[in-house]
Amino acid sequence: MGDVADKLAYFQAITGLEDTDLCTEILSAHNWDLELAISSITSTDNGRPSSSSSASATTLANQDAQDVGLVLPSNNNNQPPGLAWKLITLPFSIISGSLGLISGAIGLGMWAAGGVLSYSLSMVGLSSGGRAGTTPLVSVPQSTSEAMDFVSSFERDYGRVRPNFVTEGFMDALQRSRHEYKLLFVYLHSPEHPDTPTFCEGTLCNEMLAAFLNENFVAWGGSVKASEGFKMSNSLKASRFPFCAVVMAATNQRIALLQQAEGPKSPEEMLTILQKVLEESAPVLVSARIEAEERRNNMRLREEQDAAYRAALEADQARERQRKEEQERLEREAAEAERKRKEEEEARERAAREAAEREAALAKIREQKALSLGAEPEKGPDVTQVLVRFPSGVRKERRFHCTTTIQSLYDYVDSLGSLEVDGYSLVSNFPRTVYGQEMLSLSLKEAGLHPQASLFIELK
């Protein structure tokens, strides 16, 4: 609300005054302070005499769930409004809201101070809050707490056969009735009024009336001694008790007051009043239910269409992804096959090259070992005849000088190239002797193999 035009429009919307010049004068008199100007109007309205018990159609701006104010016009014909009620913009009670804020701030300060004191006492063992099994404090809105207290007190005083008053604030109850497509039955409880006990016991707790209320209405009750109950009594201009009213949520976040009943009433009278207002409001409730159902159906249809479109789109995208993935898979497989082919070809070439190199190295070693043996000596007393049997059954003979070492016999076997293994030993049978590493430096004569020896190859 930064400029004059916005403040003027807001002031007119809240107060319901249409005279622009008058509104301008009021705002100018209060230095364009919206709160002071609105307070002056609401204070004047609160001083006017209340209307009769016959209800007038009323509307409420639903902007503050904790502070409800109603302005009720005079109704001189004493007739109930019926279905065609007049919706009048109902200003909020600025003064009540301001006092509520001050009261809430004071209450918050006291609650915080009490919490600090309780915690301090618990630390020194003087508070019961530290005992096992205690339930921690859960903060609930004041309107909800008052509603819970009212229901508990009403049931304790008048029994369980009663209207099922909801344990929540007035605006929450109104929203509940709107969602359930029911009217909201409001009962303002004045504990000190002499007619209250009789009305509660004989009328509200009447089994037939309670059942009718519970089936067709959402019921909300509040004590005029509590904050929200007192505000509602002021807003509804309750002049006599017991006080009952029937309201419903209207368009543009407003509330319509359909009927009110003041003073003691018998169960039959209350049933008649409630049945009449229910019959008159039935077309509106049915229409609201049908419209809501149509909206839900349309929304569900749109959601189904959107879901079908998304499903088709996702199916197309999935097929495209699958096609691309298949193509990529085939390309990867072809590339992998080509890579493996090249690797295998390279491995074969490398193996062949290594085998050739290894064979060349072995051939060179055999040649070197054959050269190291020298020429085979002729038979003579210093010459030893050696017979070697291979695992394949092949026999090889050669003559060596008796001074030749056992290592020369191994070199001889290696130079033949008949074995494809590296590990083997030369062994004699009678007696069995293994000519291993520790005997390689012995001569044939020292090893007992002169003048002749028969050895076989034992693979490791």
Side-chain angles (χ1 to χ4, degrees):
M1 298 294 171
D3 54 18
V4 171
D6 288 340
K7 289 186 178 182
L8 180 60
Y10 184 80
F11 182 78
Q12 287 181 309
I14 292 298
T15 60
L17 299 177
E18 298 180 357
D19 191 333
T20 304
D21 294 335
L22 176 60
C23 293
T24 302
E25 290 180 4
I26 296 174
L27 285 168
S28 299
H30 293 86
N31 295 324
W32 291 90
D33 189 318
L34 276 174
E35 182 174 351
L36 291 177
I38 294 173
S39 297
S40 67
I41 298 299
T42 55
S43 298
T44 303
D45 289 343
N46 290 336
R48 292 186 299 194
S50 60
S51 64
S52 63
S53 61
S54 176
S56 298
T58 314
T59 58
L60 165 65
N62 181 13
Q63 297 177 357
D64 188 349
Q66 301 298 327
D67 191 9
V68 180
L70 295 174
V71 175
L72 300 179
S74 299
N75 189 355
N76 297 325
N77 57 13
N78 250 351
Q79 294 296 326
L83 177 59
W85 59 83
K86 181 181 178 183
L87 299 180
I88 303 175
T89 303
L90 303 173
F92 287 87
S93 177
I94 302 301
I95 295 178
S96 178
S98 301
L99 293 176
L101 289 174
I102 297 173
S103 175
I106 295 174
L108 178 62
M110 295 185 67
W111 175 83
V116 172
L117 179 59
S118 176
Y119 176 77
S120 301
L121 292 176
S122 64
M123 292 297 291
V124 297
L126 298 179
S127 174
S128 59
R131 294 178 297 183
T134 57
T135 304
L137 179 63
V138 178
S139 177
V140 296
Q142 181 180 357
S143 58
T144 302
S145 177
E146 291 177 358
M148 295 171 63
D149 292 341
F150 166 75
V151 172
S152 176
S153 175
F154 191 95
E155 184 174 301
R156 182 177 63 252
D157 294 339
Y158 303 108
R160 302 182 63 86
V161 179
R162 57 172 177 80
N164 292 332
F165 295 110
V166 293
T167 54
E168 54 194 15
F170 174 80
M171 298 308 298
D172 291 333
L174 186 68
Q175 289 301 317
R176 179 189 293 271
S177 68
R178 181 179 183 180
H179 295 155
E180 296 181 8
Y181 304 102
K182 292 182 179 181
L183 302 178
L184 179 63
F185 174 79
V186 178
Y187 168 63
L188 297 179
H189 185 71
S190 178
E192 306 300 333
H193 197 279
D195 293 331
T196 295
T198 303
F199 179 75
C200 291
E201 293 175 356
T203 301
L204 283 184
C205 294
N206 178 271
E207 186 173 354
M208 183 180 301
L209 178 62
F212 182 79
L213 281 170
N214 294 335
E215 181 178 357
N216 299 286
F217 295 83
V218 172
W220 179 86
S223 173
V224 295
K225 287 191 171 183
S227 174
E228 190 165 37
F230 178 74
K231 293 176 184 178
M232 290 306 303
S233 68
N234 289 335
S235 300
L236 293 172
K237 302 298 182 183
S239 58
R240 293 181 60 196
F241 291 93
F243 180 90
C244 301
V246 178
V247 300
M248 70 175 294
T251 57
N252 298 327
Q253 294 184 333
R254 296 179 179 178
I255 297 171
L257 174 61
L258 306 182
Q259 186 61 278
Q260 64 186 40
E262 295 180 294
K265 296 287 189 294
S266 66
E268 293 75 16
E269 290 176 319
M270 286 299 299
L271 274 174
T272 301
I273 294 173
L274 294 175
Q275 286 174 345
K276 183 177 181 180
V277 71
L278 190 61
E279 291 172 0
E280 292 174 344
S281 305
V284 177
L285 296 177
V286 171
S287 175
R289 184 181 290 108
I290 292 174
E291 290 177 0
E293 185 64 27
E294 289 178 353
R295 287 195 299 271
R296 284 195 295 269
N297 291 337
N298 292 335
M299 185 178 297
R300 183 164 55 249
L301 179 60
R302 286 195 300 270
E303 290 176 352
E304 291 175 355
Q305 292 173 345
D306 293 343
Y309 172 76
R310 288 194 299 271
L313 180 61
E314 290 174 358
D316 292 341
Q317 292 174 345
R319 284 192 294 270
E320 181 64 19
R321 283 197 303 272
Q322 186 176 3
R323 186 190 66 78
K324 289 183 178 180
E325 290 174 357
E326 181 67 16
Q327 181 179 355
E328 292 173 356
R329 183 184 64 81
L330 293 176
E331 292 176 355
R332 286 196 303 272
E333 289 180 353
E336 182 68 14
E338 179 65 17
R339 183 185 64 80
K340 288 184 177 180
R341 187 190 65 78
K342 289 182 178 180
E343 289 181 352
E344 291 174 356
E345 183 177 353
E346 291 175 356
R348 286 193 299 269
E349 292 176 356
R350 184 169 56 255
R353 185 170 58 254
E354 291 175 353
E357 292 174 354
R358 187 167 52 254
E359 182 63 25
L362 291 175
K364 185 176 182 180
I365 292 173
R366 287 195 296 269
E367 182 180 358
Q368 290 175 349
K369 289 187 176 183
L371 290 175
S372 66
L373 294 174
E376 183 177 3
E378 297 293 334
K379 293 182 179 180
D382 295 329
V383 175
T384 304
Q385 186 75 25
V386 178
L387 173 66
V388 179
R389 296 196 305 272
F390 288 82
S392 62
V394 176
R395 295 168 178 262
K396 295 290 183 179
E397 285 188 82
R398 191 181 189 284
R399 293 183 297 274
F400 297 89
H401 288 285
C402 63
T403 58
T404 302
T405 62
I406 299 295
Q407 179 64 54
S408 296
L409 297 182
Y410 278 94
D411 292 343
Y412 169 67
V413 172
D414 292 339
S415 67
L416 296 177
S418 299
L419 293 178
E420 296 181 355
V421 295
D422 296 331
Y424 66 92
S425 298
L426 293 175
V427 182
S428 63
N429 273 332
F430 304 104
R432 175 178 171 80
T433 303
V434 177
Y435 300 94
Q437 293 291 330
E438 68 281 1
M439 302 179 69
L440 293 180
S441 59
L442 296 177
S443 66
L444 298 181
K445 187 173 184 179
E446 291 172 344
L449 297 177
H450 185 74
Q452 62 181 7
S454 178
L455 303 174
F456 67 92
I457 296 175
E458 183 177 80
L459 303 177
K460 293 182 180 179

